[in-house]
Amino acid sequence: MTEYGAIDLDKIYSERKYFLKNSIKIEPDDEEQEYLPKDRYKLVYFIILLHGIGTLIPWNMFISIAPQYFIDFKLQPANSSKPEYAVNFFSYLGVCSQFPNLVVNFLNLFIVVKDGLAPRIVLALFVLLASCMVTLIFVFIDTSYYTFGYFLITMLSVIILNSANGIYQNSMFGIIADFPPQYINASIMGMNFCGIFIAVLLIITTLGANDVQWSAFYYFLIALLVVVFCIVSFFILQKLVTYDISRQSKKDITH
């Protein structure tokens, strides 16, 4: 083993050989040679597309069913008229959803993550999973006798969901920024697909579904399953991607 100080040159050399062996060589317009990781069976592409869906679907499912489910059903007291917080539900919802996003984006400008973005993504996904589970559990719980309490729980859930989603979305864009343009496009395509899917689902449930409780259950269940798939696929993604060899070398040198 050849060493210079704390640097293991043999290890760096072997990693470079592995990287080049598992890469495809391209020649851009500026005639500079670059190496890109191989994407066998387009797995990385489709995983990033899935995460494009995952960054939007929990919140979009929530607000799509909100008028029928929250305002007309869950926040309707048993023996009285609709309260003020139900009438102005979307005003409260807007504040509780946008303010966390603003704070997260502001903090993201100044907080440097030493351990990389992956831990933040995993943590955010599990928080999203917990938020979806809580919302799903309350679907079949009668809240007509404590609508204000349920309203507070809902607003707290919205704050947590949007905070986690802001971290998740920003971190995913931070990761795919190192990928070639087609992978960034995959994330955007996932977001577009999410919007189309929810729009079609909303049309179907509006025209054909009479039971808002079961409609909400399926909405939140789909969001929950997508988040689960995103969690599993992110761990797979880390094993599929061959990271930049220069970054790996710097990591070896600094450690």
Side-chain angles (χ1 to χ4, degrees):
M1 179 181 295
T2 304
E3 294 187 355
Y4 181 77
I7 305 174
D8 189 341
L9 297 179
D10 285 346
K11 182 178 180 181
I12 295 176
Y13 178 71
S14 63
E15 287 179 348
R16 185 178 295 275
K17 284 182 64 179
Y18 176 81
F19 177 80
L20 297 179
K21 181 180 178 181
N22 291 274
S23 301
I24 54 175
K25 187 176 179 181
I26 63 170
E27 294 186 2
D29 295 335
D30 59 3
E31 297 183 355
E32 293 182 1
Q33 294 182 346
E34 296 181 2
Y35 291 91
L36 297 178
K38 285 182 179 178
D39 187 5
R40 300 181 187 276
Y41 311 110
K42 295 291 183 181
L43 286 177
V44 175
Y45 183 89
F46 287 114
I47 288 175
I48 291 177
L49 188 146
L50 173 63
H51 282 270
I53 298 172
T55 56
L56 293 184
I57 203 165
W59 176 237
N60 279 270
M61 284 292 192
F62 188 97
I63 60 174
S64 295
I65 198 68
Q68 302 94 332
Y69 175 69
F70 290 104
I71 298 175
D72 297 332
F73 179 63
K74 296 296 284 185
L75 296 177
Q76 180 62 49
N79 301 315
S80 62
S81 60
K82 192 174 294 184
E84 180 273 338
Y85 51 82
V87 175
N88 298 309
F89 180 79
F90 275 101
S91 298
Y92 293 107
L93 192 69
V95 174
C96 292
S97 62
Q98 295 304 315
F99 183 72
N101 267 325
L102 176 64
V103 172
V104 167
N105 285 318
F106 180 78
L107 293 176
N108 195 53
L109 295 174
F110 302 101
I111 297 178
V112 179
V113 183
K114 295 182 179 180
D115 297 328
L117 296 172
R120 292 207 303 183
I121 291 174
V122 173
L123 177 61
L125 281 170
F126 275 105
V127 172
L128 285 173
L129 180 66
S131 180
C132 290
M133 289 180 65
V134 170
T135 306
L136 190 64
I137 290 171
F138 270 98
V139 168
F140 294 106
I141 296 177
D142 184 10
T143 59
S144 59
Y145 292 98
Y146 55 95
T147 54
F148 183 67
Y150 178 70
F151 169 76
L152 294 178
I153 293 172
T154 302
M155 291 300 107
L156 179 61
S157 175
V158 167
I159 292 172
I160 294 173
L161 187 149
N162 279 275
S163 299
N165 200 66
I167 295 172
Y168 172 41
Q169 192 173 49
N170 289 336
S171 300
M172 277 303 302
F173 275 120
I175 284 182
I176 63 176
D178 293 330
F179 285 74
Q182 61 264 33
Y183 293 96
I184 300 174
N185 185 55
S187 178
I188 297 173
M189 283 181 60
M191 295 178 183
N192 293 335
F193 176 80
C194 176
I196 294 171
F197 173 75
I198 292 176
V200 172
L201 185 63
L202 183 60
I203 292 172
I204 294 173
T205 53
T206 301
L207 296 178
N210 297 321
D211 192 336
V212 66
Q213 194 173 28
W214 277 103
S215 296
F217 173 78
Y218 290 124
Y219 268 70
F220 300 139
L221 180 62
I222 291 171
L224 179 70
L225 292 176
V226 170
V227 173
V228 170
F229 288 139
C230 286
I231 292 173
V232 174
S233 67
F234 186 73
F235 287 112
I236 296 174
L237 178 66
Q238 294 180 85
K239 296 182 180 297
L240 291 175
V241 177
T242 305
Y243 291 101
D244 184 13
I245 190 64
S246 63
R247 184 179 302 174
Q248 292 295 321
S249 299
K250 289 179 182 178
K251 185 176 180 181
D252 289 331
I253 293 172
T254 56
H255 286 72

